[in-house]
Amino acid sequence: MTDYFHMSMEERDIRTISNLGLAHMGDAVYELLVRAWLCEQGRATARGLHRAAVDRVAAPAQAAVARKLLPHLTETEQGIYRRGRNARVSAVPQNASPEEYHAATGLEALFGHLYLKGETDRIGQLFALAMDISHGGQHAPEENEHHAP
């Protein structure tokens, strides 16, 4: 049985997955990491956790993370990012510019590729950088910041 928590696909097999397929995988990986990180902070309500996660996984936030991570990526990782960024998408969400959405797709493709390859240590390194730089390095919001008005 395949251990989907610890993938280790061969590069040739990963290359058969479309760039948007990699982004689909990476979107889930990145959101799972964000949710785990927020839970680890332990200071938000369920509603606050959801709002904080949405804020961090939205295309504009992911685009900001991508811009900051680019100088830290290897040449191979930059290539994966560029292919994801340049993938043809059919629609862009209203809350993001086309540039932001493409950058976010590139970031997601990179995380998807790394996950499928089993490079969890590298994912951890990049995610640690992302959490230090996204939202000005702030930690999870306090509970009272996310109560309904």
Side-chain angles (χ1 to χ4, degrees):
M1 182 171 123
T2 302
D3 180 358
Y4 292 105
F5 284 109
H6 303 97
M7 298 294 294
S8 61
M9 289 178 66
E10 296 292 328
E11 185 66 36
R12 70 177 182 278
D13 295 327
I14 295 172
R15 275 190 241 121
T16 66
I17 301 169
S18 72
N19 293 323
L20 292 178
L22 291 176
H24 175 75
M25 182 78 255
D27 178 52
V29 170
Y30 192 79
E31 183 162 354
L32 178 63
L33 292 170
V34 165
R35 286 176 178 228
W37 181 81
L38 289 168
C39 285
E40 182 183 48
Q41 302 304 306
R43 295 187 307 245
T45 63
R47 181 182 174 116
L49 286 169
H50 175 74
R51 289 170 122 179
V54 168
D55 287 348
R56 285 172 173 79
V57 300
Q62 285 185 347
V65 166
R67 284 189 300 274
K68 299 287 188 171
L69 289 182
L70 275 172
H72 303 280
L73 301 180
T74 66
E75 284 185 43
T76 300
E77 291 168 345
Q78 288 177 15
I80 295 163
Y81 167 79
R82 275 192 304 276
R83 287 192 301 276
R85 182 195 64 199
N86 295 336
R88 188 183 308 257
V89 295
S90 58
V92 174
Q94 288 182 331
N95 68 338
S97 71
E99 295 79 19
E100 289 171 329
Y101 191 66
H102 286 287
T105 303
L107 180 73
E108 292 169 347
L110 174 61
F111 272 74
H113 184 278
L114 292 171
Y115 172 76
L116 291 173
K117 185 117 179 168
E119 296 185 14
T120 55
D121 287 344
R122 183 60 175 155
I123 291 170
Q125 291 168 354
L126 294 175
F127 187 73
L129 285 170
M131 290 299 96
D132 287 341
I133 60 176
S134 66
H135 298 290
Q138 294 175 357
H139 293 288
E142 297 293 332
E143 275 193 49
N144 59 8
E145 290 180 31
H146 287 292
H147 287 291

